[in-house]
Amino acid sequence: MRNNRIRLLTVLAVLILSFWIILKVDNLLLSLVLAFVIYYLLSPLVSYLERKGLSRAISTTVLYGLTLTLMTGLVVWLFPVISNQVNALKLELPRYIEGISALVFSTESRVNEFLNSVYTIDISQELRAKMFSWASVLFEGLPGFAQNFLSVTVLAPFFAFFMLLDGRQASRNLLALVPNNFFEMALHLLHQLGEQMGHFIRARLLEALIVGLVVWGGLALIDFRFAALFALFAALTNLIPYVGPLIGAVPAVALAVLNGSSSVDLFFLLLVYGVAQLVDIVFIIPLVVAKIVNLHPVTVVIVIIIGAQLMGVLGMIISIPVASALKLVLSSIFTHVIDFRR
Amino acid sequence: MVSALWENIFRRNSTDVVRGTLSRNLLFRELSRGELRFVMDIVHVREYRPGEKVFSQGEVGVGMYIIVKGAVDILVEDLSSPHDGRKKDIHIARLSKDDFFGELSLIEDNGRRNASAVAHEDTQLIGFFKPDLMEILERNPHIGAKVVYRLAEVLGQRLIKTTENIAELRKEIQKLTEKGETV
């Protein structure tokens, strides 16, 4: 029917235009991803307050007030610790770079000695210059990063507030445009996607939080420097599947090697990261994460590579939920449209 | 301004009609005005043209429909029709204002529709689906419990009726068998 075709085209046009705007406008994608994270974290609590008899508007506002107060308190408490550790790291970084260069130089000399002038390797000087330039780019880029981060931290809670308040109405308005012959499928799909994303985001954040806390506690216990900074880094990189935990351990291990830590200290350091991963693999993943995203490990690796190629670190983090959402959309279309015609 | 006023009056009338239909329905009959308003923000009002399919037999069903205005034909595929690609449908019933259908899908997991529903004339339906029922249960379990209790009652009545029909059919079959044996 003509009417249905016009409706379908309108819905597709709205979706394509929205995606285009999200990808084109600076910081919008990251702000929306964060907004969804906030939405899915707070949504069960808003529903809980509604069950207690408060209206949705009051539930959302009260919860937002409480969360903002809590977050401000957390930032006020955590920011000086992280900031001091970043400053200390900034001051000590040249020493570490010299250390890495010396390590590479000594290895290079030994290899050249072994090769006995057949082939001469000379990378230490180049590497030293490169590392100094990376370090200066990293720290000079920090204010710009902070500025972007600030705009995202303002936009994301703003979006999330209206998602919590009017999100259901907005999705109902979009559903109203869907043609009758696709309506049930679209409604069911939207519900399933919401459920899956909600479970996934809550599970991954819980996982990152537990890993971060275990690393922080462990590093503090063995009296390792920059414990809070490395724990934060481990928690964030843990969001990247498979390679994340390894990346998370690299800076602390590198620091220990450069400081010439004893093998016993190095063992305890590796033990801390090992225990964090053990807790993650044995308890959190089987109990919380595994049942949510039903993707084959090979598919997971492929989508992470694609995500990294397209959007870097953010792409690696969001690749799994995007892939599982795509799988759900395709299987839903298959079940509703193709399978029943057989 | 005048057209906006008319539009507003028209919308209010249409909302009243939808509220009236919901308040007469077995599932929502016990709800107060405030509770009905809550449900009205969750359900979906859809318009269908004559001959337009509401759903097809074999499709995954997600929920039920209540007729606000118009009429809906319920059809099932004729299994005895020749396999030449052109399937024939048997007309089972014509439902009209305030009737409802498809309620089994509210509790089935990926259950398929066992009949097709086609709009007989210009028809307005209220769609009430599984995600909507979940939302009510999550946000206001008090209303959810009332609706689920009524839903269980409706399904129980349907089950009793089906059992009675089966018993009658068995009797008919027995009679026919006895007749056959006598002949």
Side-chain angles (χ1 to χ4, degrees):
Chain A
M1 294 210 179
R2 196 166 163 267
N3 196 21
N4 276 346
R5 244 176 276 147
I6 293 170
R7 277 179 162 197
L8 186 63
L9 285 175
T10 314
V11 172
L12 288 177
V14 168
L15 289 178
I16 291 167
L17 190 70
S18 308
F19 278 122
W20 186 77
I21 291 171
I22 288 167
L23 291 175
K24 284 286 164 191
V25 177
D26 275 350
N27 292 331
L28 195 56
L29 178 66
L30 191 58
S31 303
L32 278 174
V33 169
L34 257 178
F36 271 109
V37 170
I38 299 170
Y39 170 79
Y40 283 118
L41 279 180
L42 296 186
S43 186
L45 298 173
V46 172
S47 296
Y48 173 78
L49 290 180
E50 267 194 299
R51 284 200 293 275
K52 293 286 162 197
L54 297 177
S55 73
R56 192 153 185 97
I58 293 174
S59 307
T60 309
T61 314
V62 166
L63 201 67
Y64 241 69
L66 281 175
T67 313
L68 279 180
T69 315
L70 201 74
M71 289 304 286
T72 313
L74 198 70
V75 168
V76 166
W77 173 61
L78 210 61
F79 190 74
V81 180
I82 301 285
S83 166
N84 284 342
Q85 295 193 357
V86 168
N87 282 333
L89 187 67
K90 193 177 166 182
L91 286 174
E92 289 183 24
L93 204 65
R95 193 166 66 84
Y96 295 136
I97 291 175
E98 290 294 352
I100 292 175
S101 302
L103 199 71
V104 173
F105 183 71
S106 73
T107 317
E108 191 183 88
S109 308
R110 259 182 263 164
V111 171
N112 282 338
E113 228 171 80
F114 175 75
L115 290 173
N116 205 12
S117 307
V118 178
Y119 183 78
T120 313
I121 296 170
D122 183 19
I123 54 165
S124 59
Q125 286 307 314
E126 205 180 319
L127 186 73
R128 187 173 171 274
K130 272 261 161 61
M131 280 199 297
F132 270 110
S133 100
W134 286 338
S136 69
V137 165
L138 178 71
F139 286 105
E140 277 164 19
L142 265 182
F145 171 75
Q147 199 182 344
N148 277 342
F149 184 72
L150 207 68
S151 68
V152 168
T153 47
V154 171
L155 277 178
F158 179 75
F159 288 151
F161 181 79
F162 287 101
M163 278 175 171
L164 283 166
L165 199 64
D166 300 322
R168 290 173 198 265
Q169 191 55 44
S171 58
R172 269 166 54 86
N173 290 346
L174 185 67
L175 276 172
L177 292 173
V178 175
N180 287 332
N181 45 349
F182 292 114
F183 180 72
E184 282 197 27
M185 183 192 79
L187 179 96
H188 194 215
L189 189 59
L190 208 64
H191 174 72
Q192 280 183 306
L193 281 176
E195 290 274 297
Q196 197 186 50
M197 288 300 122
H199 288 314
F200 182 80
I201 287 171
R202 285 190 284 270
R204 292 312 305 259
L205 284 181
L206 181 72
E207 194 190 353
L209 182 74
I210 293 172
V211 166
L213 285 176
V214 172
V215 169
W216 194 359
L219 292 182
L221 205 69
I222 60 168
D223 206 17
F224 197 82
R225 294 193 68 194
F226 314 118
L229 192 66
F230 288 142
L232 183 70
F233 186 70
L236 290 176
T237 52
N238 204 73
L239 294 171
I240 305 168
Y242 293 109
V243 285
L246 281 176
I247 299 171
V250 166
V253 174
L255 192 74
V257 171
L258 290 172
N259 277 337
S261 303
S262 67
S263 37
V264 177
D265 288 344
L266 204 63
F267 169 75
F268 279 119
L269 178 68
L270 290 174
L271 192 69
V272 168
Y273 281 97
V275 167
Q277 280 317 303
L278 209 66
V279 169
D280 191 17
I281 294 165
V282 177
F283 298 107
I284 313 166
I285 293 179
L287 292 175
V288 190
V289 187
K291 287 168 191 162
I292 298 164
V293 178
N294 187 20
L295 289 176
H296 192 275
V298 176
T299 320
V300 170
V301 173
I302 291 170
V303 297
I304 293 169
I305 293 168
I306 295 170
Q309 289 284 325
L310 293 176
M311 284 181 200
V313 177
L314 179 67
M316 287 170 94
I317 295 171
I318 67 170
S319 57
I320 307 276
V322 169
S324 59
L326 273 177
K327 186 186 170 188
L328 193 64
V329 171
L330 291 176
S331 68
S332 193
I333 290 173
F334 181 79
T335 316
H336 277 82
V337 182
I338 302 164
D339 196 27
F340 97 93
R341 287 179 207 272
R342 281 199 256 165
Chain B
M1 169 115 181
V2 174
S3 80
L5 193 70
W6 273 116
E7 208 171 281
N8 210 12
I9 291 168
F10 178 73
R11 196 176 295 157
R12 189 175 294 170
N13 281 342
S14 154
T15 310
D16 285 344
V17 173
V18 171
R19 186 186 294 129
T21 308
L22 274 180
S23 66
R24 285 190 298 277
N25 187 270
L26 212 61
L27 257 61
F28 306 103
R29 200 184 278 170
E30 274 185 22
L31 302 186
S32 67
R33 256 183 104 78
E35 289 172 337
L36 266 181
R37 211 177 306 130
F38 181 84
V39 173
M40 276 182 67
D41 282 340
I42 288 173
V43 296
H44 310 262
V45 179
R46 310 286 302 176
E47 310 276 346
Y48 294 82
R49 289 169 179 241
E52 191 175 354
K53 275 198 171 172
V54 180
F55 54 73
S56 301
Q57 187 175 348
E59 232 175 42
V60 175
V62 187
M64 63 174 265
Y65 293 89
I66 307 162
I67 302 175
V68 180
K69 64 176 186 196
V72 171
D73 287 325
I74 304 295
L75 312 163
V76 288
E77 244 173 55
D78 184 3
L79 295 173
S80 61
S81 65
H83 295 279
D84 58 353
R86 278 183 294 166
K87 286 173 185 170
K88 271 189 181 171
D89 288 326
I90 302 171
H91 187 265
I92 297 289
R94 176 161 298 159
L95 306 175
S96 56
K97 192 178 171 220
D98 288 345
D99 286 336
F100 61 101
F101 54 96
E103 67 280 359
L104 200 61
S105 298
L106 281 173
I107 52 156
E108 269 185 321
D109 191 26
N110 279 332
R112 296 189 179 264
R113 301 282 191 193
N114 49 21
S116 299
V118 181
H120 175 70
E121 54 196 78
D122 278 322
T123 302
Q124 190 179 43
L125 302 176
I126 297 171
F128 179 58
F129 304 99
K130 213 185 292 178
D132 305 331
L133 180 61
M134 294 302 198
E135 190 182 332
I136 294 177
L137 283 166
E138 190 192 314
R139 290 174 60 193
N140 198 328
H142 181 68
I143 300 176
K146 283 184 187 177
V147 175
V148 168
Y149 180 76
R150 284 289 172 197
L151 178 65
E153 204 174 72
V154 168
L155 294 174
Q157 281 169 2
R158 298 263 152 112
L159 190 64
I160 290 168
K161 207 168 180 198
T162 310
T163 315
E164 282 171 1
N165 286 344
I166 290 172
E168 264 177 41
L169 279 172
R170 271 202 181 141
K171 270 184 204 165
E172 289 290 323
I173 291 169
Q174 206 171 352
K175 267 185 203 169
L176 287 171
T177 321
E178 279 167 11
K179 259 188 194 174
E181 276 172 5
T182 327
V183 174

